[in-house]
Amino acid sequence: MAEGKQRGGCAKIIALGVLLFAIVAAFTGWRVHRDYLRFADTELSIGADELVLEVRAGDSFERVLSRLRKLGVQDGHDLYWKGLAWETDVVRRLRVGEYALRHGLTPRGLLDKLERGLVIQHSFTIVEGWNFRELRLALAKEPTLEQTITGLPDDEVMAALGVPDQAPEGRFLPETYHFTRGSRDIDVLRRAHTALEKTLEHAWDGRTADLPLKTPYEALTLASIIEKETGKASERPRIAGVFVRRLKLGMKLQTDPTVIYGLGEAFNGNLTRAHLQTDTLHNTYTRFGLPPTPIAMPGRDAIEAALHPAAGNELYFVARGDGSHVFSATLTEHNRAVARYQLRRRSAAGGTP
């Protein structure tokens, strides 16, 4: 009987021990869970400078976490991060790109970014009036783009875009294009080319009747000249009107930007009478009609102006020197304006009228 009591006492002690262990385990588990929840929603220690975390193709979450540690973010145990990654399903849905780690960001907030792909957007702006050479130079200097067309001739670039029969000048719409790190230069060009095609098609469909333009490409060429002639939006339709009337009357366009384009890299910044008399495919002082290609990238406003020119009787214009122009209906009026503005300016600069 004493032996039975002894066995009963041992069983109670064991049961008590199991109970105590369960209580300690539960308490510890509760504390760990509470600590985990606190970790998930506590602001990360990022430091004074905001950081950028990069997720690359093929990265596991462990590799991303290692990269985060190397950036100096030491918050939370790795097991907490991995648990949160499983909870938010980030382990299966990592999105490639760069992620901004800004002040106030929590671990849960960061993993939400990774899961939703809220990556940093970079931008590249094609400037109105750039030619294709300037566009390629600017693309080559963009460090966040993967360079794939370096060294390719222009015709091979156009072939890569699927339009081998097109000359590149004027074929890309001046806009700001957003992209993520690792995007290719050719991808930006493709988007700009598509945007130009759609813009030109829409504008051509709504064009003013009785224009001396046979194709959308001729409209694009005229728009490029308008783009280079003035930076004042209010003047573009008026300048377009001058060129349209000249084309209808069979007059030479006689526009300096076409001469400069025809000279190419030989132009040193000082346009002379000899330049105006040097015949090139684009010299509208020596040749009638539009040049064979655009001379720059025209923006939307210049395209609209080319297809909706202002009415009037003006056939001439000359720059005042402040970005605006004086318009004239007769050669006599134009010569007076030239004498007042252009010749005086050239004389003051020491140039040849």
Side-chain angles (χ1 to χ4, degrees):
M1 188 168 179
E3 184 180 344
K5 289 183 178 180
Q6 185 177 8
R7 282 201 299 269
C10 289
K12 289 180 180 179
I13 293 172
I14 292 172
L16 181 60
V18 170
L19 178 61
L20 287 174
F21 178 80
I23 292 172
V24 170
F27 180 71
T28 302
W30 174 79
R31 289 189 60 184
V32 169
H33 184 64
R34 185 186 62 177
D35 194 39
Y36 167 77
L37 293 177
R38 184 185 298 118
F39 151 78
D41 297 308
T42 299
E43 179 180 346
L44 291 170
S45 304
I46 292 174
D49 298 324
E50 295 181 345
L51 307 172
V52 174
L53 175 65
E54 184 179 1
V55 177
R56 301 167 188 166
D59 273 352
S60 64
F61 181 74
E62 286 190 6
R63 187 173 299 172
V64 173
L65 179 57
S66 174
R67 201 170 291 133
L68 182 67
R69 297 304 196 197
K70 289 179 181 178
L71 287 174
V73 178
Q74 302 302 325
D75 305 73
H77 193 281
D78 284 4
L79 289 176
Y80 285 0
W81 280 102
K82 292 174 183 178
L84 188 60
W86 279 105
E87 178 187 333
T88 56
D89 205 27
V90 166
V91 289
R92 296 192 306 109
R93 303 182 64 176
L94 275 174
R95 306 289 185 88
V96 173
E98 294 176 304
Y99 295 85
L101 276 59
R102 298 190 171 95
H103 298 114
L105 186 67
T106 66
R108 191 183 301 278
L110 172 56
L111 296 196
D112 179 63
K113 276 190 169 191
L114 297 181
E115 192 270 334
R116 294 168 61 192
L118 301 180
V119 297
I120 295 173
Q121 293 286 323
H122 298 278
S123 63
F124 178 80
T125 300
I126 299 177
V127 177
E128 295 175 345
W130 269 359
N131 59 37
F132 190 57
R133 181 179 61 84
E134 291 171 318
L135 171 54
R136 291 195 62 171
L137 287 173
L139 277 174
K141 293 177 182 177
E142 177 51 60
T144 54
L145 283 172
E146 181 185 344
Q147 302 296 325
T148 65
I149 63 172
T150 303
L152 287 182
D154 289 352
D155 59 344
E156 290 188 25
V157 173
M158 299 307 287
L161 291 172
V163 285
D165 57 324
Q166 289 186 1
E169 202 63 83
R171 293 286 189 175
F172 304 91
L173 187 68
E175 292 272 6
T176 295
Y177 297 90
H178 297 280
F179 60 91
T180 58
R181 177 180 285 275
S183 297
R184 302 178 304 166
D185 48 7
I186 194 71
D187 295 329
V188 174
L189 283 182
R190 182 173 288 106
R191 290 168 58 193
H193 182 270
T194 300
L196 186 281
E197 293 288 302
K198 290 181 178 178
T199 298
L200 183 59
E201 179 183 4
H202 177 76
W204 178 257
D205 289 344
R207 68 191 182 279
T208 297
D210 195 32
L211 291 176
L213 303 171
K214 298 177 182 177
T215 65
Y217 191 60
E218 287 190 353
L220 184 66
T221 300
L222 178 57
S224 72
I225 298 173
I226 296 166
E227 187 67 69
K228 295 299 289 185
E229 277 288 5
T230 182
K232 292 180 71 68
S234 60
E235 285 193 345
R236 289 184 182 126
R238 203 170 175 185
I239 285 178
V242 169
F243 288 142
V244 164
R245 284 185 285 275
R246 279 178 163 261
L247 288 171
K248 286 183 175 181
L249 292 170
M251 297 174 65
K252 293 175 182 175
L253 295 185
Q254 295 183 315
T255 168
D256 292 358
T258 63
V259 178
I260 294 170
Y261 184 84
L263 293 171
E265 296 185 20
F267 180 63
N268 63 5
N270 180 33
L271 190 64
T272 67
R273 183 177 294 141
H275 288 144
L276 301 182
Q277 296 170 347
T278 300
D279 184 51
T280 70
L281 292 175
H282 290 80
N283 189 337
T284 54
Y285 281 85
T286 61
R287 301 192 178 210
F288 289 91
L290 291 165
T293 71
I295 62 171
M297 314 287 173
R300 296 178 188 273
D301 289 346
I303 293 173
E304 286 294 324
L307 292 168
H308 299 89
N313 62 353
E314 298 157 341
L315 293 171
Y316 308 89
F317 59 85
V318 63
R320 283 192 176 95
D322 62 357
S324 65
H325 294 79
V326 176
F327 293 82
S328 305
T330 68
L331 182 57
T332 299
E333 293 173 351
H334 176 63
N335 286 338
R336 289 199 200 103
V338 170
R340 180 177 180 184
Y341 294 102
Q342 198 171 70
L343 297 183
R344 181 187 301 171
R345 188 170 66 253
R346 289 179 180 173
S347 177
T352 302

